[in-house]
Each structure stands twice: as C-alpha cells, then as structure tokens.
Amino acid sequence: MSIKAVSDATPGVVPYPAAAVAEYRAAGVWRNRSLPDELTSRFADFGDRPAVVTPETRWTYAELGARVDAFASGVLRATALEPGDRVMFQLGNVAETVVCYLGALRAGLVPVCTLAQHGPREIELLARHVGARGLFTQGDFGGGRLLPVAVDLLERGVVAVTVVVRGDEGGGTVGYRGIIAAGDEPPTTPDVDLASVAVFQLSGGTTGLPKVAPRLHEEYTYNSRAWASALGWSESTVVLYPLPLLHNAGIALALQPALLSGATLVLAPNADIDVLLDLIETERPTTLPLVPPAVAIRMLDHPRTRSTDLTSIRQYVVGGQKLAGDVARRLLDEVHLPLRQMFGMAEGMFLVTDEDASEQVVLDTVGRPISPLDEVRVVDPISGEDAPVGDLGELWMRGPYTIRGYFRAPHHNTTAFSTDGYYRTGDLGRVHRIDGIDYFSVDGRIKDVINRGVEKIHAEEVEELILEHPDVDNAAVVAMPDRVLGERACAVLVMHPGKPPLTVESLAAHLAGQGLAKYKFPERVEIRTALPLSNVGKVSRKTLREDVSRIVETEPGA
Ligand code: AMP
C-alpha cells in the first residue's frame, strides 16, 4: 500500500508529539504502515487456516480475503463513497460485519464504530460530529429497528450513502450483496496518510457527552499486536468473542489481534450463556479475551456450566468493570477457569495480569500495561504528585497507543489530558508493588459515568434529556448497585410544584421519544423536594449515590 508522507495532523486530531513518534518508530512499535496494510497483507500466509466462524459461517483466511477485496472494490463502484470518507457502522456480530470493516479500511474509508444498541439520537449526533458521509446498517438487527433510522438519516441528507447488510434495501439504500457483486476486480490501493484517522471509536470513559477517540494507523495496529503478543496468540489460538464486535474492545482485543496472529475468531451473536456454552463445546476456544464480570457471574450461576467441558480455555480474561473478589475466587475454585484480569479503554491503554501471575496478582489487580513504553501514573488529586505505593489516586495513562486528545474537543481536552500528554482516566486506582513489579488495581471513579455491565452511561447526557421534560425541575442520574451488572442508573428527580412524579415507565417513554439508547434509561426513579449540594454548591452525586445504595441494599431481594 502506498504511503503518503506524514503530514501535519488531521483537523480535529491532537497529534502525538514528533519526539514521541520518533521514539515509537525507533523502538519498532510504530512501523510506518497503515492499518489495512497490516491487517490484510498476511491473509495469503494464513490461506486455508480458519479465520472467522459464526453460527452460520466458517471462512478461511483466503475466503475472507476474497470477500474483503470484493467489498473494497465494490463499495467504491456501487456507491458514491470515496477514499477518505467516514462511514458510520451500526452492525451486530455477524460475519458480514468483519467483511465490511476490513473492506472499508481496504478501500480507504474510515469506520466510525457505534453500538447496534445506540438510538437515533446517538447515531445522528455522532454522524454530524465526525462528518460521516456513509452509514452501514444491519437490516435484520433487533427486529429491523436499525433500518428506519438509517433511511431517515439518508432522506434528511445527514449521510449521502446508506448500505444495508442483511435485509431489504429500498429507500435509496445500497445492498451488501450488490456491493460484493460489483467488486469483480481487485481493489485499487488508496494512498494513506499515516497521520490520518484509521478508525473512530466511541469513548466510554469521560465526563459529559460521549467523546470520540480518533485511532491512528500505526498506534491502533500496535495496540492489537501488543495485545496478541501479551497473550501469546498464534495460528493455533481460537478466540471466542461474545460482546459487540464494533466496540473498541471487539476490534482491538479480538478481531485485529486475531487476524494479526493468524488465529481463528469465533464470533458469538450475543453473550447469552447457553450460546456461549454451546460454542465452547463445539469450537473449543483457547481464549476468551474479554468477559465482563456480569457474564462471568451468569456463567457461574448457570446450571450447565459445571457439566460443560471448559478445558480448552487457557485464558479467561475478565475486565471492563471491577471484578469483585468473591467472584474471582469462585471462578478459580468452582469452575477452575484460568482467570486473568484486564483493564481496557477506547482511549488506548490495556493492562492484563501475566499468565504465570501469583494468586495475589490475579485476585487483587488488573495487571500491568502490555507495552514496555506504556506509562501509568497514580496521581494524588489534591497535590497533583504521584501517590505513594498502595495509596489511592487518579490513574493517568500515556504511551504508544493511547490517544493525546479527543476528536474535535479542544476545550474538553484541556482538562481530560495533562499538559505533558497523559490521559486522565477519571478512574481511581493504586499501585501494588509485588516482588518488585508494579501492578495496578482500579478501585473507584471520579467521572460521572455509570458502568452497567461494561456499557457506559454518561450521567450528564441523560440528565440533560430528562431536564427537557416540562414537569421536571432538577435531575441527577447516579449509579445504584446491582449484583450482576455491577451498576444500574437511578434518576433522582425534583418535580415542578403540583406536577405528578415521573415513573420508570413515563421517564422511559420521554427518553425514547428523544431517541436515546435504551440501555441508558434509568431503571429506578427517586423523587425528592431538593437535591443535596456539596460544599461548593454543586449537586452532590456522592451523597445521592450513597442514599440510593442504602435504599437499594435494604430492599427485600437485594
Ligand atoms: P470503554 O472505553 O468503554 O472501554 O471504558 C473504559 C472504562 O471502563 C475505564 O475508564 C474504566 O472506567 C472501566 N474499566 C475498564 N476495565 C476495568 C476494570 N478491569 N476494572 C474497573 N473498571 C474498568
């Protein structure tokens, strides 16, 4: 693939400083190659090895490569999209998603990853924010609920091209099958500017409205290569992945590292435990690179788990949310799974416990960074200095695959990043120095995010929409504890005088009307006459969180 000279940063992207780029290239972790080049250039080497398995499909690398090439040439012929265009992806875990993602990259398009669970509101805001020209959608997802959103955005001119995977085209959209059929010549290779964005990912981890993480070619490739290498993946590795593939985790710790190592990716349609156990029995996966604690708990509770042969699994990596100590213990003692803990984020950094880690490390920490060039600080929020070993502080992260700024967010970037380029995660953690090595734990959060079984809900985003209800005077959305999901959202509301209190149902109807994704709807409503204030006069979420936790924990069945 031909590479244009690295230009100045793409507008809206905070570039890595020149000295850091030089260091990463000198260390060989950035390799002067584009993401599509790295991902597809080795397809020929792996030829007839199995690449992607779904309940309906089993493709070798050669078969996948042929489809990716056809899609890459077909999408530029059958649609008005051009290399460099940004394209929204709203697709579930089907084999075509892999073809669309790789084919788009190969054609020089820039994927904008969203969740199939997102509502029309998120999709439109994101499309406008990144300036997307296209939208790929899945016609048969969730009973066909994505298609009308895609057609509406097309009709209103928010995007110029809508491609429909699986399902009826119409309304000016273009079908996946037609694109593959149009791709009867090898794709031409577009020029790639290595300073341009390879993929846009949605951040789950910052205060306020969701922000967009611009992932660049060399760093995003390195992110996945470093993960594959930390886990020792090879052609004999079989990866089982049950979470949304188009989230950063699906791309950066499952699909891309699998392809870079010649491994097999078994894509589960969802995280239903029966589906997972069936796939474990039939496909004999060697690794589950991301199991949310909620899925681990459901697996422990499921009657079939103990009679299923789990012995093919050599890595059972739990992360995305705090893993409770008792659940970690049960995974080791009751089902004898080779537990590893990980921490990951769309902004970049991954941490994981080592294969031969002691029980203390596996139970108490999320491990250590996967690259020797990664830097993690635990910063005392008051002094701004590094906290002593064992003390709580905010986790700050910087390195060769951690972004230096959100896309088109200059104001927010001044607080979300330090002047010397560390991302301030908003997570609280500590260093555990064990046998002279520093491991990290995550022990809390200072950002207003609710982690609902690894799906992130930004309190402010939901509050703003609630406040548009004419009867609501004030609102705060806070986390309430949940045994399986970890947290759920609770709305604490102050109604205007004389107005009837909102219920979970009436609030949901209001939020649905605004196009918000359903998983963000508060699952409990508390009515107050006023919201408690902190000593600086802001709503005290801490007090509310504690109040709500107390109420929930004393209820029957808690
Ligand atoms: P996302 O960008 O959606 O992957 O979310 C990243 C955020 O998930 C982090 O900033 C943390 O708040 C949370 N997170 C990820 N892994 C863990 C973990 N092992 N323990 C606690 N929180 C985690």
Side-chain angles (χ1 to χ4, degrees):
M1 185 163 284
S2 71
I3 302 288
K4 276 206 287 192
V6 174
S7 66
D8 289 332
T10 308
V13 175
V14 180
Y16 286 75
V21 173
E23 181 193 355
Y24 302 152
R25 293 219 174 111
V29 300
W30 283 28
R31 301 206 302 200
N32 257 303
R33 292 175 69 180
S34 75
L35 178 67
D37 187 16
E38 295 255 24
L39 288 175
T40 58
S41 63
R42 297 198 57 206
F43 274 18
D45 302 343
F46 303 127
D48 50 12
R49 301 279 314 153
V52 175
V53 175
T54 68
E56 307 149 336
T57 311
R58 189 173 291 273
W59 289 334
T60 64
Y61 273 86
E63 289 164 340
L64 174 63
R67 284 171 175 82
V68 168
D69 278 357
F71 188 89
S73 79
V75 75
L76 299 182
R77 291 163 134 221
T79 75
L81 292 171
E82 291 171 9
D85 281 346
R86 296 164 185 169
V87 182
M88 311 287 294
F89 274 64
Q90 200 177 27
L91 303 169
N93 280 14
V94 291
E96 291 92 332
T97 299
V98 178
V99 175
C100 290
Y101 178 78
L102 296 170
L105 285 171
R106 178 82 177 79
L109 302 174
V110 184
V112 183
C113 294
T114 76
L115 295 176
Q117 288 75 9
H118 279 142
R121 173 190 147 85
E122 286 96 349
I123 298 299
E124 178 162 355
L125 282 175
L126 261 171
R128 292 189 186 280
H129 184 68
V130 301
R133 278 201 73 228
L135 167 61
F136 293 175
T137 194
Q138 184 179 328
D140 65 356
F141 188 92
R145 68 175 172 77
L146 303 184
L147 194 55
V149 178
V151 171
D152 174 56
L153 292 179
L154 183 66
E155 283 173 358
R156 288 192 292 114
V158 179
V159 292
V161 173
T162 291
V163 171
V164 182
V165 173
R166 292 184 171 218
D168 291 338
E169 298 114 48
T173 65
V174 184
Y176 171 89
R177 280 187 302 264
I179 287 179
I180 295 279
D184 51 2
E185 282 180 16
T188 49
T189 295
D191 285 342
V192 173
D193 178 347
L194 289 181
S196 68
V197 178
V199 178
F200 287 94
Q201 281 292 355
L202 199 58
S203 151
T206 187
T207 302
L209 286 174
K211 299 291 183 295
V212 176
R215 304 302 305 259
L216 310 184
H217 288 270
E218 292 162 284
E219 59 90 3
Y220 209 32
T221 311
Y222 175 55
N223 189 172
S224 292
R225 209 173 42 240
W227 179 250
S229 142
L231 296 185
W233 287 4
S234 68
E235 285 180 54
S236 57
T237 300
V238 179
V239 181
L240 174 57
Y241 197 74
L243 301 183
L245 185 68
L246 287 173
H247 184 270
N248 179 63
I251 298 294
L253 56 71
L255 175 64
Q256 292 184 170
L259 297 178
L260 291 168
S261 4
T264 305
L265 176 69
V266 178
L267 200 50
N270 55 54
D272 180 271
I273 303 300
D274 274 312
V275 171
L276 282 187
L277 293 175
D278 286 347
L279 287 169
I280 290 170
E281 269 169 349
T282 54
E283 302 299 335
R284 312 294 298 142
T286 59
T287 178
L288 278 75
L290 180 61
V291 182
V295 175
I297 293 171
R298 287 196 188 112
M299 211 162 144
L300 278 167
D301 289 348
H302 197 282
R304 266 184 65 201
T305 300
R306 282 159 189 75
S307 57
T308 301
D309 180 0
L310 305 174
T311 54
S312 66
I313 301 170
R314 291 199 281 277
Q315 297 162 346
Y316 188 83
V317 189
V318 178
Q321 197 175 18
K322 177 89 179 162
L323 177 64
D326 59 321
V327 180
R329 259 268 64 99
R330 288 181 64 202
L331 288 167
L332 295 177
D333 296 348
E334 291 180 24
V335 285
H336 312 294
L337 279 163
L339 172 66
R340 294 172 77 167
Q341 288 209 51
M342 70 85 63
F343 169 95
M345 56 184 198
E347 290 79 3
M349 186 88 68
F350 288 166
L351 283 75
V352 69
T353 55
D354 302 302
E355 173 147 37
D356 53 359
S358 67
E359 219 174 74
Q360 184 189 4
V361 171
V362 176
L363 291 175
D364 295 348
T365 83
V366 296
R368 54 194 179 118
I370 59 173
S371 166
L373 296 173
D374 283 332
E375 298 167 280
V376 181
R377 291 182 59 195
V378 177
V379 178
D380 182 314
I382 313 260
S383 69
E385 304 289 326
D386 284 335
V389 171
D391 279 11
L392 201 63
E394 186 183 7
L395 294 168
W396 289 22
M397 300 185 175
R398 179 173 80 172
Y401 61 93
T402 297
I403 61 168
R404 301 298 173 123
Y406 291 109
F407 183 64
R408 288 181 57 199
H411 180 66
H412 181 68
N413 285 339
T414 57
T415 49
F417 293 81
S418 70
T419 46
D420 54 355
Y422 278 89
Y423 169 55
R424 304 163 68 150
T425 63
D427 293 307
L428 292 170
R430 33 171 75 83
V431 176
H432 300 244
R433 192 159 293 159
I434 301 170
D435 297 332
I437 298 176
D438 285 354
Y439 301 91
F440 297 86
S441 60
V442 185
D443 304 291
R445 204 178 310 143
I446 46 179
K447 57 194 170 192
D448 297 327
V449 169
I450 296 146
N451 194 332
R452 183 190 186 276
V454 315
E455 279 170 337
K456 313 300 183 309
I457 303 168
H458 298 254
E460 265 180 59
E461 182 188 22
V462 185
E463 286 162 5
E464 267 179 31
L465 295 178
I466 297 178
L467 285 171
E468 284 177 23
H469 192 290
D471 296 350
V472 175
D473 182 31
N474 207 353
V477 174
V478 294
M480 60 179 173
D482 183 85
R483 186 185 87 83
V484 176
L485 292 173
E487 298 171 1
R488 290 178 192 261
C490 171
V492 186
L493 306 180
V494 179
M495 306 304 297
H496 281 303
K499 295 296 175 191
L502 286 184
T503 60
V504 169
E505 293 72 28
S506 56
L507 180 57
H510 167 70
L511 295 173
Q514 286 160 308
L516 188 72
K518 205 171 157 201
Y519 70 87
K520 299 179 184 172
F521 293 3
E523 292 168 85
R524 181 183 186 102
V525 172
E526 289 284 325
I527 305 290
R528 297 279 192 276
T529 49
L531 297 182
L533 298 181
S534 68
N535 49 14
V536 291
K538 284 176 44 174
V539 170
S540 173
R541 294 168 190 282
K542 185 165 174 287
T543 309
L544 286 173
R545 237 185 350 256
E546 288 166 0
D547 279 0
V548 171
S549 297
R550 244 190 323 272
I551 299 172
V552 170
E553 274 158 8
T554 53
E555 278 175 352

